[in-house]
């Protein structure tokens, strides 16, 4: 009899198990674990879902000037200087009316320099100054005709460097000032053009291995 009871109990268990297996999974709620509370979307993701911009926008790094005077940045190699190519010229006897007064009551003025821009702002600006005619064309008509005291000289840009404060410039060739007033003009034009090209505070300029001041004294 005990054996018969065991057979009936075993059959009941098999039937119960079969019934449980036949039930849809969706009805077995007692076996499923409650899901965790959904996390809140980030501010950037929420804005993206609703069509708005993310709350944080990446700003590209500003270009920097390397020690040799070239502009560098994170967006790949530079093909042209970020600073415009500018050279400084003289307005003789202008008395500071259109620029900075210096020397023989002249004015020093900045003008866009002619010539192609390279990746080196210093080389581009200085070379444009050295290659300019004696009286370059100034934009507009309000300004008197500018004068280039370096037009009679035959100078070549060799190299330059910038340490974050001082720009150093090396030139070779001949200096040919046309008058005593041309010495301070040449010094002012070269110094300010080099300083402005790289954002320096001062300039050291050498011509044929001598300082610019010493080279001008020999004339």
């Amino acid at each position: 009899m005990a054996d018969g009871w065991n057979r009936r109990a075993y059959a009941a268990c098999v039937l119960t198990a079969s019934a449980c297996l036949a039930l849809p999974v969706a009805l077995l709620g007692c076996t499923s674990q409650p899901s965790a509370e959904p996390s809140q979307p980030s501010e950037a993701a929420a804005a993206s879902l609703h069509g708005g911009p993310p709350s944080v926008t990446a700003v590209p790094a500003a270009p920097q000037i390397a020690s040799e005077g070239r502009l560098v940045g994170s967006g790949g190699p530079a093909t042209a200087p970020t600073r415009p190519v500018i050279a400084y010229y003289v307005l003789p006897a202008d008395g500071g009316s259109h620029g900075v007064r210096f020397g023989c009551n002249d004015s020093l003025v900045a003008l866009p320099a002619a010539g192609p821009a390279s990746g080196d702002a210093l080389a581009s600006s200085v070379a444009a100054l050295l290659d300019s005619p004696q009286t370059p064309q100034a934009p507009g008509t309000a300004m008197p005709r500018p004068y280039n005291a370096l037009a009679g000289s035959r100078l070549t840009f060799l190299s330059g460097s910038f340490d974050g404060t001082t720009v150093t410039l090396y030139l070779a060739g001949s200096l040919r000032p046309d008058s005593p007033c041309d010495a301070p003009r040449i010094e002012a034009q070269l110094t300010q053009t080099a300083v402005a090209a790289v954002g320096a505070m001062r300039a050291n300029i050498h011509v044929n291995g001598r300082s610019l001041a010493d080279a001008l004294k020999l004339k």
Side-chain angles (χ1 to χ4, degrees):
M1 181 161 180
D3 182 67
W5 183 88
N6 287 338
R7 284 197 299 269
R8 287 194 301 272
Y10 175 77
C13 288
V14 170
L15 290 174
T16 302
S18 299
C20 290
L21 290 174
L23 288 174
V25 176
L27 298 179
L28 299 179
C30 58
T31 61
S32 61
Q33 296 296 327
S35 59
E37 182 177 352
S39 59
Q40 295 297 323
S42 65
E43 185 177 350
S48 177
L49 289 174
H50 293 287
S55 59
V56 179
T57 303
V59 179
Q64 299 174 343
I65 302 176
S67 59
E68 66 272 22
R70 290 183 173 86
L71 295 179
V72 294
S74 59
T79 58
T82 302
R83 297 175 184 271
V85 178
I86 296 293
Y88 279 76
Y89 300 91
V90 179
L91 298 181
D94 184 66
S97 297
H98 295 88
V100 178
R101 183 178 179 272
F102 77 104
C104 298
N105 200 33
D106 301 328
S107 295
L108 189 67
V109 294
L111 297 177
S118 71
D120 190 323
L122 180 61
S124 296
S125 299
V126 173
L129 176 63
L130 298 179
D131 295 339
S132 292
Q134 186 174 25
T135 54
Q137 182 64 50
T141 58
M143 185 183 295
R145 186 88 176 183
Y147 168 68
N148 183 9
L150 284 154
S153 301
R154 295 294 180 265
L155 293 175
T156 301
F157 175 88
L158 296 180
S159 65
S161 63
F162 178 47
D163 63 5
T165 301
T166 302
V167 57
T168 303
L169 185 63
Y170 295 94
L171 306 174
S174 60
L175 275 171
R176 297 175 183 173
D178 289 337
S179 70
C181 285
D182 274 357
R185 291 167 178 169
I186 289 173
E187 186 170 10
Q189 285 186 258
L190 282 173
T191 298
Q192 193 58 38
T193 297
V195 164
V198 296
M201 297 178 63
R202 62 182 65 90
N204 289 329
I205 301 175
H206 303 271
V207 179
N208 299 327
R210 297 176 178 270
S211 68
L212 177 60
D214 288 343
L216 287 171
K217 289 177 183 177
L218 298 176
K219 302 303 173 183

